[in-house]
Amino acid sequence: MLPKIRRPKHVISSISNPLTRQRTTSSFPPNPQDFQILCSNGHLNQALSEMAMQGLEMNFQGYDALLNECVKQRAVRGGQRVHAHMIKTNYEQPVYLRTRLIVLYNKCERLGDALQVFDEMPERNVVTWTAMISAYSQRGYAPEALNLFVQMLRSGTEPNEFTFATVLTSCTGNFGSDHGRQIHSLIVKRRFEPHIYVGSSLLDMYAKAGRIHEARVVFEGLPERDVVSCTAIISGYAQLGLDEEALELFYELQREGMTSNYVTYASVLTALSGLAAFEHGRQVHGHVLRTELPSYVVLQNSLIDMYSKCGQLTYSRRIFDNISEKTVISWNAMLVGYSKHGMAQEIVSLFNSMREESIVRPDKITFLAVLSGCSHGGMEDRALKVFDEMVSGKDGVKPEIEHYGCVVDLLGRMGQVEKAYEFIKQMPCEPNAALLGSLLGACRVHLNVDVGVAVGNRLLEIEPENAGNYVILSNLLASAGRWEDARTMRELMKEKAVIKEPGKSWIELDQTLHTFHAGDSSHPRKEEVYAKVRELLVKIKDYGYAPDLSCVLYDVDEEQKEKILLGHSEKLALAFGLIASPKGKPIRVMKNLRICVDCHSFAKFVSRVYRREVSLRDKSRFHHIVDGVCSCGDYW
């Protein structure tokens, strides 16, 4: 311990500052246990008063007890009093206490104060550097954290496992992951890779950068795995949309004896939401209840999202109503669930309740759900009123590009294509591809070729690689009899080598996911499935179904086009559902892309002819089809 600087007694007696006045009751140094007892009992203010009375007699143990309690309570004012006392009494602060000050200021979100302490330190150790790097990293100052790490290396201070684990959290995005790979090489050289904290941070860094294979290599190389590392890799798969891989890994790790926490289950539920695997979701929910995990709101929010994406809004609402302290994410999860199903009345009712409670303020996602849901649910006037309230600043949330996009979609649904086009021209921000794509879709439905061509050409400039834009524009031109222009559009698509993302559909039966791709020949019951599709085609044609050949991209004859349409993944999954599920049971099919017009029509006829309720969840929304009528109103 560094010696304290003491002033001569004759100086002390002549100073009236209470900080430097010795206690009159005793001339002995303070008992460090006094501070520890006061602090451990939560009497911080009393301990601070005792510090003022001690004046120059304060020692390391007393300061340490006070700062630790300030950190625990996040008492920035108390910490500042301790800091000021050390300065005014000329106490020579050791590295340890200065580092505790950095930790305190960081926890109290006083980054400037933490940096000032750091800059004024005559010497620093690895803990000091790590604390300051952590302060930058936690506040989102990734470049500063990385620069400080480089300064640390240049100073000759050797990083430890906590330093590496901390600095890796600042290696985000493509640029950050390049730095992360360099840090990874340092970790290997210094043989810190097997350490559980470092390994978990490494795999988390790679996973967030989309490099899941590198993350898996790090994970497999860990000598031991804890719940943090297991959760990080599962979450990595789920966040990248690799839902089946995430679920498979979760079950594998469970068989190996992994202990899961609420974050693990939240990550698994994210994967189940993507798959819309209702039966698996119920199993996981049951497991959560049996393990008696605390009702963390993040887990409850994940359950709301999972059930709504499985089409089970009754379950979602039951969980939502039982949350004791709802966050804005809780409200948004329920509102988005209703929005995806086009349940406008429920959205308006819930949104009004949120406003009336005035506990949680709506944010931009709240308004996005309300606008989108009202638009899809036929409450256009209500949606426009909500948008006007946003513009006026009623709830303190100004509209962004996504909210303007909802208005464009709404006007398009109402057939006011020209008005939507003018609305785009007057927006305070540049339209993005999603907004223009919405208007192009409206032009296709309402056969507005002039606006469609203008919007379509703009779209091709913004995202020339999106095959869907070429297809919609080509079909729009063909519908107007402009066959040569339509053919030119298809040729342009080939010339630019635009490749349409492969479509896949899946259906869950008896807790097993059956996945189908377009023209699939891999399913073990493929012959039975294709025979059923042909049977369905013959039967529903008698009821008026006619294939929409415009959905075929290839330049082939009509007979071949019809054959290609029969191989669409939605039809294969639907046929398998009819074969493998009990008669009368609803059929739920999921698809990774937006459902095509022909498959939508096909499903409606199947629902009417076979008296089956059909639920199709595509990339953008749910289609609930009952007796041949779809909840989307044939607009999506």
Side-chain angles (χ1 to χ4, degrees), residues 563-588:
K563 186 177 179 180
I564 291 170
L565 283 176
L566 286 180
H568 278 198
S569 62
E570 304 97 307
K571 295 186 179 75
L572 300 179
L574 180 59
F576 181 75
L578 286 168
I579 294 170
S581 65
K583 191 174 181 179
K585 184 178 180 180
I587 298 173
R588 296 184 177 88

Side-chain angles (χ1 to χ4, degrees), residues 35 69 121 144 254 260 312 494 533 597:
F35 288 101
E69 187 61 22
M121 291 180 71
E144 288 80 1
Q254 270 203 325
S260 301
Q312 303 292 331
K494 291 178 183 178
V533 172
V597 175

Side-chain angles (χ1 to χ4, degrees), residues 230-239 242-254 258 260-277 280-285 287-288 298-299 302-303 305-306 310:
C230 291
T231 300
I233 191 68
I234 292 169
S235 176
Y237 278 114
Q239 295 301 324
L242 301 169
D243 302 317
E244 291 182 68
E245 291 85 347
L247 198 58
E248 183 182 331
L249 181 60
F250 170 69
Y251 287 131
E252 178 186 326
L253 293 172
Q254 270 203 325
M258 174 190 71
S260 301
N261 61 17
Y262 76 99
V263 183
T264 317
Y265 284 117
S267 299
V268 172
L269 289 169
T270 298
L272 291 168
S273 298
L275 294 170
H280 283 277
R282 285 209 305 179
Q283 273 196 335
V284 170
H285 190 185
H287 202 285
V288 168
V298 65
L299 185 54
S302 296
L303 283 165
D305 184 59
M306 183 273 293
C310 292

Side-chain angles (χ1 to χ4, degrees), residues 4-55:
K4 290 191 296 183
I5 298 176
R6 296 185 180 274
R7 296 178 182 176
K9 289 186 178 180
H10 71 275
V11 175
I12 294 173
S13 62
S14 66
I15 294 177
S16 61
N17 190 330
L19 285 173
T20 60
R21 190 183 303 142
Q22 293 192 48
R23 296 180 66 179
T24 57
T25 56
S26 172
S27 60
F28 293 102
N31 183 354
Q33 289 186 349
D34 293 344
F35 288 101
Q36 291 171 358
I37 291 169
L38 286 171
C39 289
S40 63
N41 291 329
H43 301 309
L44 178 59
N45 288 332
Q46 189 176 341
L48 290 168
S49 298
E50 181 71 16
M51 172 190 71
M53 295 174 66
Q54 294 292 346

Side-chain angles (χ1 to χ4, degrees), residues 327-518:
T327 66
V328 68
I329 298 173
S330 311
W331 289 93
N332 289 347
M334 197 66 243
L335 286 166
V336 169
Y338 282 139
S339 177
K340 291 289 185 183
H341 291 262
M343 301 175 71
Q345 294 285 354
E346 288 80 358
I347 289 170
V348 171
S349 175
L350 190 63
F351 181 57
N352 289 339
S353 298
M354 184 182 188
R355 276 177 161 173
E356 287 166 8
E357 286 188 16
S358 298
I359 298 172
V360 177
R361 291 178 62 85
D363 63 9
K364 61 181 182 181
I365 297 174
T366 312
F367 284 102
L368 198 59
V370 173
L371 290 171
S372 177
C374 288
S375 175
H376 291 161
M379 296 183 68
E380 293 88 355
D381 291 340
R382 177 63 178 171
L384 290 173
K385 181 182 177 182
V386 169
F387 182 79
D388 288 339
E389 290 172 349
M390 286 187 74
V391 173
S392 68
K394 177 179 179 179
D395 292 274
V397 180
K398 289 294 183 181
E400 297 181 6
I401 186 69
E402 294 84 4
H403 304 101
Y404 285 99
C406 287
V407 175
V408 171
D409 179 70
L410 182 152
L411 294 172
R413 287 175 185 276
M414 297 170 69
Q416 299 179 20
V417 175
E418 287 84 1
K419 187 175 180 179
Y421 192 41
E422 289 303 315
F423 178 81
I424 290 175
K425 291 178 181 178
Q426 296 170 14
M427 289 191 323
C429 48
E430 282 294 312
N432 60 14
L435 188 148
L436 293 171
S438 172
L439 183 54
L440 180 59
C443 292
R444 175 184 60 83
V445 173
H446 299 291
L447 300 178
N448 191 314
V449 180
D450 293 336
V451 174
V453 169
V455 172
N457 288 332
R458 182 82 178 275
L459 260 176
L460 297 184
E461 292 175 6
I462 296 175
E463 47 174 19
E465 74 289 345
N466 188 333
N469 297 330
Y470 293 88
V471 176
I472 294 174
L473 192 51
S474 174
N475 291 346
L476 179 61
L477 292 166
S479 66
R482 294 169 57 174
W483 303 108
E484 191 60 36
D485 291 334
R487 191 176 298 109
T488 300
M489 190 57 57
R490 297 294 177 111
E491 289 173 355
L492 180 63
M493 180 178 172
K494 291 178 183 178
E495 179 185 321
K496 292 184 176 292
V498 176
I499 300 173
K500 183 176 178 291
E501 182 183 350
K504 71 172 182 178
S505 300
W506 61 95
I507 182 169
E508 183 189 22
L509 292 172
D510 299 324
Q511 298 182 24
T512 301
L513 291 174
H514 298 266
T515 303
F516 298 87
H517 296 83

